[in-house]
Amino acid sequence: MNDAVVQKYGGSSVATAERIKAVAARVRARRATSPRLVVVVSAMGDTTDELIAMARTVCDEPSAREMDLLLSTGELVSCTLMAMALRHMGCEAVALTGAQAGIRTDALHSRARIVSVDPQRIVRELRRGRMVIVAGFQGITEDMDVTTLGRGGSDTTAVALAAALGARCCEIYTDVDGVFTADPRVVSNARKLDEISYEEMLELAQQGARVMHPRAVELGEMYQLPILVRSSFNDKPGTLIHGAVSVEYLNKVRGIAHDLDVAKISVVRVPDRPGVAFRLFAPLAQAGISVDTIVQNTGHDGNTDLSFTVSRNDFRRAVAIVEPAAREGGAEGLVTDEDLGKVSIVGTGIQHAPGYAARMFGALAEQGVNIEMITTSDIRITCVVRRGQIDKAVSALHATFELEKPEQLSAAPTTA
């Protein structure tokens, strides 16, 4: 069904009844040129945060299973209201839960991964001439338990459905005009990118750029499915995420990402011998806690210090798991810090051209920003710094790499 179009509308796009009606009018207009239309919606506005807060008033540590079931209701509200609005406008529409849409996941609550998509119900509804409105962010396990896909998971729902339906593109509608060189709320002269590669977008998303969910970008690259990020508040062209990026964008920093959701755990004076790292990290993996930056100091006197970062939401659970493991492994103790963030520069040019790290470190030093940890990939350099210095760091790096300027054609290579 390669004539199907899959759109996704984020929480800010459907935050109120008026916004839902505005999106419904937009969807109705699009149907004139795209009769097979699937729309994925997020929960209205801050609904997810409100449900989490409500759960905390009832129980300090609600079970993951019940929490997923609770949070899934936010998307059910928005998708049913959207279908009602469309029907009121004279359009045939049907609302489906993630389970009804055929989305099957693993059993890791709050951060489940999609294992399969069976779009038969969606295909039947499309062939009946109906628009299909799907509740994003959710799926169901083999045991029929409802799961959620993590913050921003509606992006992943949309891309997975587009891939399963054989759509030519997935359209992500949000409250910004596309993918920017930095968060425009932090850097006022941040520039919108016309296009960006899957690889660069994935690094930006993983390092804190919230315009796209990382797993959605991974799926887009896996199925070579272009993803168009646009605003639902205007008709500007947006940013295309795809595989082939023009040569004019090579050999330069494309964007700055930042993340305030960082906590550090340091295991102090742990015996420097084989198996220690496994003893510490295996229980974290079993608990579904993702570890980001890892730094181990050079051993001395038979001991070493090992530091790593996790999200602040996972911090307490991580400490509870690591502390006994560190004690059993002979470590002196733990030192923790929740007041951290990370800032990253991303671009394909970083892997081959020298000088990017030096310019980054120099820019941070000029602003008095101390670097606590460093990690790199082929196309990224990330520094962990104090949380209160993140905005200053992002602005300094954006200016240093002149990202506010339009991108120019790179000089062609010369031959002797």
Side-chain angles (χ1 to χ4, degrees), residues 8-324:
K8 176 261 179 177
Y9 290 89
S12 57
S13 300
V14 294
T16 65
E18 289 304 313
R19 283 302 309 157
I20 287 175
K21 288 190 283 187
V23 169
R26 188 185 192 111
V27 170
R28 181 183 61 175
R30 179 58 181 274
R31 198 188 189 196
T33 56
S34 303
R36 300 187 190 276
L37 198 55
V38 178
V39 177
V40 176
V41 291
S42 298
M44 297 173 64
D46 297 324
T47 298
T48 300
D49 290 334
E50 292 167 359
L51 290 172
I52 291 172
M54 189 183 301
R56 300 293 183 194
T57 65
V58 176
C59 175
D60 290 336
E61 293 293 335
S63 76
R65 179 187 179 279
E66 273 62 44
M67 183 63 92
D68 267 6
L69 191 57
L70 172 66
L71 297 185
S72 71
T73 63
E75 279 69 19
L76 299 185
V77 171
S78 54
C79 84
T80 50
L81 290 176
M82 180 69 70
M84 291 175 188
L86 285 164
R87 283 179 172 271
H88 183 69
M89 295 175 181
C91 301
E92 282 293 315
V94 59
L96 300 179
T97 67
Q100 290 171 326
I103 297 173
R104 301 292 183 266
T105 75
D106 61 22
L108 188 59
H109 288 285
S110 81
R111 62 191 71 186
R113 292 174 72 89
I114 297 173
V115 296
S116 67
V117 177
D118 181 359
Q120 290 186 41
R121 174 70 184 275
I122 294 177
V123 171
R124 288 200 307 270
E125 298 294 353
L126 291 175
R127 286 175 175 164
R128 290 171 182 165
R130 295 174 175 173
M131 282 184 283
V132 180
I133 317 300
V134 178
F137 179 62
Q138 62 184 257
I140 197 165
T141 69
E142 288 186 2
D143 293 331
M144 304 300 288
D145 282 330
V146 173
T147 55
T148 63
L149 308 179
R151 287 284 188 175
S154 293
D155 292 347
T156 305
T157 301
V159 175
L161 289 177
L165 290 167
R168 294 181 181 177
C169 183
C170 181
E171 301 171 2
I172 304 294
Y173 288 86
T174 180
D175 57 356
V176 293
D177 291 344
V179 179
F180 282 74
T181 51
D183 188 336
R185 294 169 296 185
V186 176
V187 181
S188 60
N189 63 348
R191 180 175 45 80
K192 185 186 72 67
L193 299 169
D194 294 329
E195 60 177 324
I196 189 169
S197 70
Y198 294 119
E199 188 179 22
E200 289 172 328
M201 188 66 245
L202 181 57
E203 287 283 13
L204 288 171
Q206 289 177 330
Q207 302 309 316
R210 302 192 182 279
V211 69
M212 279 294 298
H213 193 256
R215 180 58 180 154
V217 183
E218 288 179 347
L219 285 173
E221 182 174 25
M222 184 184 305
Y223 291 97
Q224 288 298 293
L225 176 73
I227 302 169
L228 180 62
V229 181
R230 301 179 63 183
S231 172
S232 64
F233 295 84
N234 58 55
D235 295 319
K236 295 180 180 179
T239 301
L240 184 64
I241 305 168
H242 62 140
V245 175
S246 172
V247 293
E248 68 179 299
Y249 301 140
L250 300 179
N251 299 323
K252 60 185 66 180
V253 174
R254 301 297 311 287
I256 311 292
H258 73 280
D259 188 358
L260 300 177
D261 186 22
V262 179
K264 181 173 73 171
I265 299 173
S266 297
V267 184
V268 180
R269 293 186 61 79
V270 62
D272 189 13
R273 57 174 182 251
V276 170
F278 174 78
R279 181 191 294 269
L280 295 173
F281 293 118
L284 292 173
Q286 292 171 359
I289 296 176
S290 178
V291 174
D292 190 14
T293 306
I294 303 174
V295 174
Q296 182 171 338
N297 296 331
T298 302
H300 51 85
D301 300 327
N303 295 299
T304 188
D305 296 339
L306 192 153
S307 300
F308 60 94
T309 62
V310 297
S311 74
R312 296 174 76 212
N313 289 334
D314 289 331
F315 174 71
R316 291 185 181 180
R317 285 200 304 140
V319 169
I321 292 169
V322 170
E323 198 163 32

Side-chain angles (χ1 to χ4, degrees), residues 342-392:
K342 62 182 179 181
V343 61
S344 306
I345 61 173
V346 174
T348 52
I350 291 174
Q351 58 187 329
H352 297 303
Y356 285 101
R359 290 175 67 188
M360 181 180 191
F361 302 156
L364 295 178
E366 287 179 5
Q367 296 298 317
V369 177
N370 186 52
I371 301 171
E372 306 215 2
M373 302 173 78
I374 300 169
T375 182
T376 66
S377 75
D378 283 346
I379 66 169
R380 169 187 54 80
I381 303 172
T382 297
C383 295
V384 176
V385 303
R386 305 310 304 174
R387 194 165 184 258
Q389 294 184 309
I390 284 291
D391 285 6
K392 182 164 59 173

